Amino acid sequence: MSEIDKVEYRLKELGLELPEAVAPLYSYVPVTVHQGTAYVSGQVPRINGSVPYPGKVGKDVTVEQARELAEYCVLKGLSALLP
């Protein structure tokens, strides 16, 4: 089993689904791999074109909402990394 297959299998095991990778909105490279390390940038939690919970954590956004959006950003980063 390849490393990509292992990641996809584990995501399925956890009940997680990768969002579709989207093209960057600005001039940057979303993922660069250098010497076996992936550097991911620009993963904003836009869902259907907007950030569902804008603001500061603890003031405008609950910790639970922030955690949900952080998880979404990680999944977006993985979708940008995986073919």
Side-chain angles (χ1 to χ4, degrees), residues 25-77:
L25 295 177
Y26 305 101
S27 180
Y28 67 91
V29 178
V31 177
T32 299
V33 179
H34 177 69
Q35 296 182 351
T37 300
Y39 297 90
V40 182
S41 65
Q43 303 305 319
V44 177
R46 278 193 190 86
I47 300 173
N48 297 323
S50 65
V51 177
Y53 315 119
K56 293 185 177 187
V57 178
K59 180 180 177 196
D60 310 306
V61 179
T62 67
V63 172
E64 292 78 20
Q65 290 169 325
R67 185 177 292 125
E68 175 187 328
L69 294 181
E71 180 180 290
Y72 186 73
C73 286
V74 170
L75 292 173
K76 280 182 64 178

Side-chain angles (χ1 to χ4, degrees), residues 1-7:
M1 181 182 290
S2 74
E3 291 301 315
I4 292 173
D5 290 338
K6 288 178 187 178
V7 170

